[in-house]
C-alpha cells in the first residue's frame, strides 16, 4: 500500500509508492560514453576557452589540483542595480544580479568525483567552503547556492567533474521557508530540528553510515529514489565552520555514498549544499539527489513527488551495496 | 543581461537568462522512434492487460473513441483510513489514499494528441472534465490532479496518448499556497488575479493567441522554455463549468499551440490542469510545460528555475511558427 509522508519540517508531502518499488538493480544503467578532453573547456590544455581563473590550489609542481573560474555562461550578471521593480505587483522584476563561478574538481578529464582520493575530496570540500564564503561576502549577494550536477539528466552540460556556486541578490523564497521552518521548530522545541532528526534516525532503519563526526541517512520523506543526506553530528551552520577532522570524516562518507551509488552504472545526480552563512542557526548538510526517476505532470502540478524506492530500502542498498 | 522575474502571485522567482538564449531551432529534436502497438496496454486488442474499464465513449459502431481505466500501477490506494499520524511532528505519515485513473485519448496507437481532430479533442476535454468531477466527488478525495505526460523526458512510460487523474486524500500544500495567494489578491484588489493578468497580457508581447472565449499567453515568469498558459476569458473556476462554445474554442487553441510546439520535433511536455472544484474562486487554466531544459542542482536547491527562453521570444515562436 502506498504511503504518504511529510518532510521533517516543510509542508511538503511525498508518496512512497511501494507497489511501484523496484529492486536496485532495475535502476542500473549503462555508464555514459566517455567524452573527449580535446574540446573540454575545463581541461588544463584548453585555458583559452575560459574567461580566467579566480583562484586555484597548486599541485606543488607548477600545475593545479583544483580551481575556481568565472562561469562563461553566467546565469546572473555582476553589474547594475539589485533593486526590484515592485510598483506593479503582477509584474515584479529586476536584474538577475550576483556571482556565478565554476569549481573544477581536478585537472583530469575522466576522473569521476568519487574516484578522487579521500585527501583530494577533503581539500576540495574545503575549497568549496572557502569559495562559497568569498561569494557570500560580496555586498550584493544575499544567498549563495553551492551544487554539483553529474550526468546529462541531472543538468550537467560538461562531463569534466565540477561544482558551481551561484550568489544571488535575492534570498530565494523556498530557502527562506526552509530556514523559517527550522527556526520555528527550534523556538518551539528548544532544539535544532536536524539535531533531533539525527538523534532519532541514527537508531532507525534509515541510517546509512555513521562515523565519529558525520552521519548519512535516507530521509523519511525522500523525494528521489536513493536520496541521501549527509549531516555533521555537531550543530554547524555552514561548511566553513567544520573542523579539520570533520572535513576528513565528511570526505570519507561522501565518497563512500557516491561510490555505492555509482554501482548502479554512473547514474546522474545532483549534490546540493545547504549553508546558512547569515543567520547562523541552520544545520549545514548536503543532499545527494540521484536523478533516476523523471518528474512528470503530477510533480509539477501539485509538488508531491512519487518515489518508488522507500528510504528504508535505499539505506539497505547503500549499506550492503 | 539576465533578468529576475517573480510569478504573478506566487513567491516564486525565475531567472530569464537572455545570454543563454538560443534560437527555437536549437531546441529541435529528432522525433522519438515510434513504439510498437503489439504490447501496448492501451490499445483496443490488448484489453487483457488492463484491470477494467471505468467509462468509455463509443464510436457508434461498437468500438470506443476514448475511455477511462484504473491505473494498474496506482500511486495511491483506495482502501484504509485517510487519517494522518501526526502525534510525532518529525514523522507525519499515513496511507496514500485516493483514486488514480488513466484516460486513453484515442484507440489509435500512433496518433499524437495534437493530431486528433478538433472535434475529438473537444469531446476529450469534456470527458477529462467529467472524469475529474467524478473523482472529485469521492468522499475521501480532497484534491484532484489532472495532467498529461508526453515523451519519456516528461515522465511518460507509455507512448500511446493518454492523460491521468489522481485524486488525493490530502490537499497538496503547494496548491493550497497558489489558491491562497489568488484569494488574497482577490480580497485586496476586488478582482481575480488571472482576470487581471488576462486584461494586461492580451495587449503585451507575451500574447500568443486569442479567440472569442480563450486566450493563450507565455507567462511573465515562465519557468520552462516555451511555457504557455491557456485560460478562459470568462472567470470559470473549473473545466466542467465551461460552456459548449468555450470547449470548442479551448480545443482549437490547445491543438494549435501543441502543433506549433510539435514543429520542434515532437518534444516532451506536460499539460497540467488547475481546477478549483471546492472553493470555486480560482480561475481554471491549463499550463503547457515543454521539457526541453533539465532542472539541475540549482533548481532543486533554491527552486529558482533558469529559463534560457524569454517568454517574449516564446510567444513569437508560437505566433509565427
Amino acid at each position: 500500500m502506498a504511503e504518504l509522508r511529510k518532510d521533517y519540517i516543510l509542508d511538503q508531502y511525498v508518496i512512497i509508492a511501494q507497489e511501484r518499488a523496484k529492486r536496485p538493480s532495475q535502476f542500473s544503467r549503462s555508464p555514459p560514453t566517455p567524452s573527449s578532453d580535446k574540446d573540454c573547456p575545463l581541461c588544463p590544455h584548453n585555458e583559452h576557452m575560459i574567461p580566467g581563473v579566480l583562484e586555484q590550489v597548486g599541485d606543488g609542481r607548477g600545475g593545479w589540483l583544483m580551481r575556481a573560474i568565472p562561469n562563461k555562461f553566467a546565469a546572473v550578471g555582476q553589474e547594475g542595480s539589485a533593486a526590484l521593480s515592485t510598483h506593479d505587483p503582477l509584474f515584479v522584476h529586476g536584474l538577475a544580479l550576483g556571482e556565478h563561478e565554476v569549481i573544477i574538481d581536478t585537472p583530469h578529464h575522466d576522473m569521476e568525483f568519487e574516484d578522487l582520493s579521500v585527501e583530494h575530496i577533503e581539500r576540495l570540500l574545503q575549497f568549496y567552503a572557502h569559495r562559497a564564503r568569498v561569494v557570500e561576502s560580496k555586498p550584493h549577494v544575499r544567498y549563495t547556492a553551492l551544487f554539483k550536477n553529474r550526468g546529462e539528466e541531472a543538468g550537467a552540460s560538461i562531463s569534466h567533474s565540477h561544482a558551481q556556486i551561484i550568489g544571488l541578490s535575492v534570498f530565494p523564497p523556498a530557502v527562506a521557508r526552509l530556514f523559517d521552518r527550522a527556526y520555528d521548530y527550534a523556538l518551539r522545541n528548544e532544539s535544532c530540528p536536524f539535531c533531533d532528526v539525527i538523534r532519532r534516525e541514527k537508531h532507525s532503519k534509515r541510517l546509512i553510515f555513521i562515523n565519529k563526526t558525520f552521519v548519512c541517512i535516507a530521509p523519511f520523506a525522500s523525494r528521489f529514489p536513493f536520496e541521501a543526506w549527509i549531516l555533521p553530528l555537531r550543530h554547524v551552520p555552514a561548511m566553513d565552520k567544520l573542523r579539520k577532522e570533520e572535513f576528513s570524516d565528511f570526505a570519507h562518507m561522501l565518497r563512500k555514498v557516491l561510490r555505492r551509488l555509482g554501482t548502479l552504472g554512473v547514474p546522474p545526480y545532483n549534490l546540493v549544499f545547504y549553508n546558512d552563512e547569515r543567520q547562523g542557526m541552520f544545520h549545514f548538510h548536503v543532499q545527494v539527489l540521484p536523478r533516476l526517476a523523471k518528474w512528470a505532470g503530477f510533480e509539477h502540478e501539485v509538488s508531491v513527488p512519487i518515489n518508488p524506492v522507500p528510504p528504508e530500502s535505499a539505506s539497505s542498498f547503500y549499506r550492503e551495496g
Side-chain angles (χ1 to χ4, degrees), chain A:
Chain A
M1 186 78 188
E3 201 184 350
L4 194 72
R5 294 187 182 186
K6 194 186 150 296
D7 178 81
Y8 298 118
I9 52 170
L10 287 171
D11 275 341
Q12 162 75 51
Y13 288 92
V14 300
I15 292 174
I16 307 287
Q18 294 161 294
E19 265 88 72
R20 299 180 154 212
K22 301 177 186 173
R23 305 172 64 81
S25 64
Q26 290 177 272
F27 283 97
S28 265
R29 302 149 36 89
S30 315
T33 338
S35 69
S36 150
D37 63 348
K38 229 180 52 214
D39 310 313
C40 173
L42 307 189
C43 273
H45 54 272
N46 281 335
E47 259 87 7
H48 62 282
M49 296 171 75
I50 58 173
V53 174
L54 296 165
E55 186 174 359
Q56 66 184 29
V57 175
D59 65 356
R61 290 168 289 129
W64 52 274
L65 290 175
M66 54 200 70
R67 56 171 33 164
I69 65 171
N71 189 310
K72 199 174 173 180
F73 304 97
V76 288
Q78 290 179 301
E79 273 163 49
S81 160
L84 285 176
S85 155
T86 55
H87 67 282
D88 186 338
L90 286 175
F91 296 86
V92 172
H93 66 103
L95 292 177
L97 269 196
E99 302 284 324
H100 192 167
E101 56 183 69
V102 172
I103 297 181
I104 313 175
D105 295 336
T106 164
H108 299 293
H109 182 76
D110 38 22
M111 285 285 268
E112 294 292 344
F113 179 88
E114 52 270 30
D115 296 328
L116 300 168
S117 72
V118 174
E119 295 66 33
H120 190 101
I121 293 177
E122 184 183 339
R123 189 71 198 80
L124 200 46
L125 293 171
Q126 287 167 334
F127 192 57
Y128 288 179
H130 162 66
R131 290 306 309 176
R133 167 55 82 186
V134 169
V135 167
E136 185 74 23
S137 68
K138 308 260 173 177
H140 59 289
V141 169
R142 296 195 56 205
Y143 182 75
T144 302
L146 167 60
F147 57 96
K148 191 172 167 55
N149 304 327
R150 210 281 294 284
E152 220 184 306
E153 286 132 297
S157 50
I158 293 180
S159 69
H160 190 130
S161 184
H162 68 284
Q164 292 180 69
I165 298 178
I166 298 184
L168 288 171
S169 61
V170 285
F171 202 96
V175 179
R177 270 198 293 276
L178 173 63
F179 283 16
D180 283 353
R181 276 306 168 108
Y183 191 59
D184 280 354
Y185 181 99
L187 277 184
R188 274 183 291 112
N189 298 278
E190 297 181 20
S191 167
C192 156
F194 293 92
C195 288
D196 282 1
V197 164
I198 291 168
R199 222 179 335 268
R200 304 280 299 276
E201 296 290 34
K202 76 181 181 188
H203 302 293
S204 84
K205 284 182 194 165
R206 289 173 294 276
L207 177 71
I208 297 176
F209 301 125
I210 187 162
N211 61 27
K212 248 178 27 206
T213 63
F214 264 82
V215 64
C216 178
I217 61 168
F220 181 67
S222 291
R223 296 152 297 165
F224 298 88
F226 306 103
E227 180 171 342
W229 293 6
I230 301 177
L231 310 96
L233 294 172
R234 187 167 69 89
H235 184 83
V236 176
M239 186 157 47
D240 64 342
K241 303 290 184 299
L242 291 176
R243 296 179 188 135
K244 173 78 185 141
E245 72 274 17
E246 287 170 323
F247 267 111
S248 165
D249 286 349
F250 182 19
H252 260 286
M253 193 171 279
L254 180 55
R255 184 172 184 263
K256 200 158 145 186
V257 167
L258 292 177
R259 287 178 80 102
R260 295 278 163 102
L261 183 63
T263 61
L264 297 179
V266 199
Y269 64 76
N270 300 118
L271 290 190
V272 302
F273 293 73
Y274 284 101
N275 271 307
D276 178 9
E277 305 270 8
R278 301 272 156 121
Q279 296 183 285
M281 57 78 204
F282 199 66
H283 198 118
F284 163 69
H285 64 282
V286 178
Q287 300 183 353
V288 182
L289 309 176
R291 301 288 295 278
L292 296 159
K294 300 279 193 296
W295 279 23
F298 184 68
E299 277 79 1
H300 284 295
E301 179 176 353
V302 305
S303 294
V304 177
I306 299 173
N307 178 0
V309 180
E312 294 76 15
S313 312
S315 61
S316 307
F317 161 75
Y318 282 115
R319 283 194 313 264
E320 296 152 22

